[in-house]
Amino acid sequence: MVTSATYTRIDGKKISADIKEEIRLRVEERKAQGKKVPHLAIILVGDDGASQTYVDNKVKACKSVGFHYTMMRFADTISEEKLMKHIDHVNNDDDVDGFIVQLPLPEHISVEKITEMIRPDKDVDGFTNQNFGSIISKNPLLMPATSYGVMELLRRYNIETEGKHAVVVGASRIAGAPLSMMLTHMGRATVTICHKYTKDLASHTRAADILLVAVGKPGLITADMVKEGAVVIDIGTTRVEGPQYPKGWAILGDVDFKNVAPKCSYITPTPGGVGPMTIASLLLNTLRATELRNP
Ligand code: GUN
């Protein structure tokens, strides 16, 4: 068996930093021209530790590029009706260019109802049905942020997708489903989508030129499931606690990086791969939403 001597570790942290710098310069330019500074609002319900960390990172990112931001926190006992009232208010607040509702939400609140209430032109997560569907239009509005981040990583590393066989493992509304559509329509790839009902997963993953995994099961993809020279993109993020981790917890991807990497041409690590790109995409979408509303 021939094994690759080297592989390229895709540095999402570096690409995300490049994008942030590009955005920062565009914000400076807008300011100099007397134009509106982008304003992102973040709605957080409850006190889930992982959500808090994600939201803190989003606030930090806003500060680093010069965006205005508003943090709106609500107790996990808030009623669906009250939350909807707040969303209605943000929808109609002319100063807010884009906003997100951090997920997960408490069980008594319907994610579908809340998501569909967000004005599509302010939906900078790209979660609404309209933005999801607009992926296959000629002029997408605001793209689902995680998938947009993956497409940017592939583009900025000059990884060809046209005519390639991309296998997406996971068909979630947030990642796998929109990513499959983007790879098909923007990337011109031939796409196989696998999910929990797929039989003989390895027979599909082994056929992938580009393997993209968004399941949330650490270690799901092992070396025997990957073709020599494949590009592997790990979108899974699972927070695992244990005394073996210096911080008492760690964020793990779906791919057994150590054993899979030597077989790859390109691979994303976790953390430091796709994760930072989701925030970069959120900022790109917020800038785009601002430019559309206030050219
Ligand atoms: N929860 C986990 N990831 C995300 C995300 O990208 N956006 C929102 N709103 N919630 C999340």
Side-chain angles (χ1 to χ4, degrees):
M1 196 168 69
V2 182
T3 46
S4 321
T6 55
Y7 60 87
T8 300
R9 185 180 170 282
I10 296 179
D11 190 346
K13 237 174 152 173
K14 152 105 180 42
I15 301 290
S16 167
D18 292 349
I19 292 173
K20 279 191 217 154
E21 181 57 12
E22 290 162 22
I23 294 173
R24 194 187 65 77
L25 293 173
R26 277 164 76 179
V27 172
E28 286 290 313
E29 216 175 287
R30 283 183 68 83
K31 269 191 196 163
Q33 294 166 340
K35 292 181 178 172
K36 186 176 183 303
V37 171
H39 179 179
L40 175 72
I42 300 171
I43 297 177
L44 176 62
V45 180
D47 50 14
D48 175 74
S51 289
Q52 184 63 60
T53 307
Y54 294 139
V55 162
D56 288 348
N57 288 336
K58 289 170 188 180
V59 166
K60 229 165 57 194
C62 281
K63 287 182 184 165
S64 76
V65 298
F67 283 5
H68 294 157
Y69 69 91
T70 301
M71 198 50 236
M72 302 171 75
R73 284 168 199 272
F74 303 103
D76 60 5
T77 49
I78 190 172
S79 69
E80 188 179 82
E81 196 187 349
K82 253 209 168 137
L83 183 59
M84 288 171 92
K85 278 213 175 106
H86 286 291
I87 291 174
D88 188 49
H89 174 77
V90 185
N91 270 340
N92 292 303
D93 181 344
D94 259 349
D95 198 64
V96 173
D97 299 293
F99 71 100
I100 65 163
V101 179
Q102 186 67 26
L103 303 180
L105 288 170
E107 281 199 358
H108 65 277
I109 298 176
S110 157
V111 174
E112 286 73 23
K113 239 194 222 171
I114 295 299
T115 302
E116 277 313 298
M117 257 204 88
I118 300 174
R119 262 175 65 158
D121 62 341
K122 290 192 178 187
D123 166 30
V124 285
D125 261 328
F127 280 176
T128 56
N129 287 335
Q130 187 170 327
N131 281 322
F132 184 67
S134 90
I135 294 170
I136 60 169
S137 77
K138 283 220 157 44
N139 197 10
L141 183 58
L142 296 169
M143 287 192 279
T146 301
S147 321
Y148 183 15
V150 170
M151 296 303 286
E152 273 300 297
L153 271 188
L154 295 172
R155 191 176 72 79
R156 289 177 185 242
Y157 270 84
N158 294 314
I159 295 171
E160 184 64 81
T161 54
E162 187 172 313
K164 294 288 163 66
H165 185 190
V167 176
V168 180
V169 183
S172 73
R173 185 73 172 68
I174 291 186
L179 183 56
S180 321
M181 290 206 294
M182 281 191 197
L183 286 161
T184 305
H185 289 272
M186 296 164 189
R188 299 174 174 177
T190 301
V191 178
T192 299
I193 308 172
C194 301
H195 42 60
K196 62 182 168 193
Y197 303 106
T198 299
K199 294 192 175 104
D200 193 5
L201 177 63
S203 70
H204 296 283
T205 59
R206 270 190 223 112
D209 300 316
I210 307 172
L211 177 62
L212 309 104
V213 195
V215 174
K217 263 196 191 168
L220 175 71
I221 303 297
T222 49
D224 59 308
M225 296 170 78
V226 178
K227 180 164 87 175
E228 285 292 336
V231 175
V232 174
I233 308 290
D234 190 353
I235 301 146
T237 47
T238 306
R239 189 180 153 116
V240 179
E241 298 190 1
Q244 70 272 41
Y245 304 117
K247 288 189 214 159
W249 57 271
I251 300 288
L252 302 183
D254 291 338
V255 176
D256 172 11
F257 183 91
K258 185 166 152 270
N259 294 305
V260 170
K263 290 185 87 174
C264 297
S265 52
Y266 293 85
I267 184 168
T268 57
T270 304
V274 172
M277 292 302 294
T278 301
I279 291 188
S281 308
L282 177 69
L283 299 175
L284 280 172
N285 273 345
T286 305
L287 179 63
R288 177 165 162 77
T290 310
E291 288 174 345
L292 290 171
R293 288 163 51 76
N294 304 276

